[in-house]
Amino acid sequence: MNNDQIFKNRARVLDEHLAGRASTAGADALLAEIVLQEREQEPARRRLMPSPRRALLGLAAVAVLTGGFVVVPSLFKESGQVYASQAVTIDRDGDWYVFYITDGDPDPAELEKAFRKVGLDDITVKLIPVSPQQRAPVVGFDKTDPDARMSSTLSDCGERVEGCLTAFRVTADIKGSAQFHLGRPAKPGERYAYPADASWPGEALAGVKLQGRSVAEAVQVVRERDLRVAYELDWPLRDGGDGVRYEQGVPASRIDPSWKVATAETYNDGVIVLHIEPGAGATPPPGF
């Protein structure tokens, strides 16, 4: 049974009951009272909103419920919400649109439909396979507009929308085409598009910590499990700030066996990528 049929069975007032009827004074008074109560009871802009999965059936008499519904603006004026469906809730926050994803494996077509509802007609969505153990959201953004900006926003994700898994924002006046890349759980044997910690449960080195070990020790552990090794060097930032610069595809001939392993990653393809901290006196190549 689909959602529309469930709503139809549970609602006390159906669309066909209202067909051809003018709005009554009683209905207008009910709506005005709901709006007044919302304004009086809402203490702050960022209040907890229920997940769209728990649709407000009490509004069936004044709003048509569909798979993706536009929320009555007067009920959510202070929250900034402009659209909600089972997969995504969208806020307007000044010059930004904020997206709260509530489906771990959403249908790209449904998300694109939601984006069009708020005027983002040239944005497409691509789901990329990531480790099923991946807890932090994976969001990528390709764009043609040099002034467009996107950032993750998770501090109030679960507070703003119940069941929120991923939250991000993009400038509302984006021009030209753009594509969001959202992580989805990879299928068994599927190569990840984004690396995962090789020591996570279910991964190639589950429970094995290589961090802090010498390269020689780490390589022995990896090869004992019939896995291959690839190397990346994590160079400190030139200005001394936090973070590193990754040099990828480094040949083994440039790796000192005594250097230490920073992290070990996997793409689920039989290769363990060892991130190595260059030892004292090591110099980065040009450009690093």
Side-chain angles (χ1 to χ4, degrees), residues 200-212:
W200 283 346
E203 300 298 348
L205 296 178
V208 178
K209 292 292 186 181
L210 298 183
Q211 182 177 5

Side-chain angles (χ1 to χ4, degrees), residues 170-220:
V170 64
T171 42
D173 61 350
I174 182 172
K175 301 175 181 63
S177 61
Q179 184 177 71
F180 288 115
H181 296 173
L182 303 181
R184 64 158 176 82
K187 301 173 184 177
E190 186 177 15
R191 188 182 191 276
Y192 303 154
Y194 185 84
D197 189 321
S199 67
W200 283 346
E203 300 298 348
L205 296 178
V208 178
K209 292 292 186 181
L210 298 183
Q211 182 177 5
R213 297 195 190 187
S214 70
V215 172
E217 289 179 294
V219 169
Q220 182 178 352

Side-chain angles (χ1 to χ4, degrees), residues 43-82:
R45 180 181 182 278
R46 284 298 186 192
R47 61 190 178 88
L48 176 66
M49 297 298 300
S51 167
R53 292 187 179 90
R54 302 176 183 177
L56 301 178
L57 297 180
L59 296 181
V62 295
V64 178
L65 293 175
T66 62
F69 58 91
V70 177
V71 180
V72 180
S74 61
L75 297 183
F76 301 100
K77 177 185 292 186
E78 293 186 14
S79 73
Q81 188 180 89
V82 293

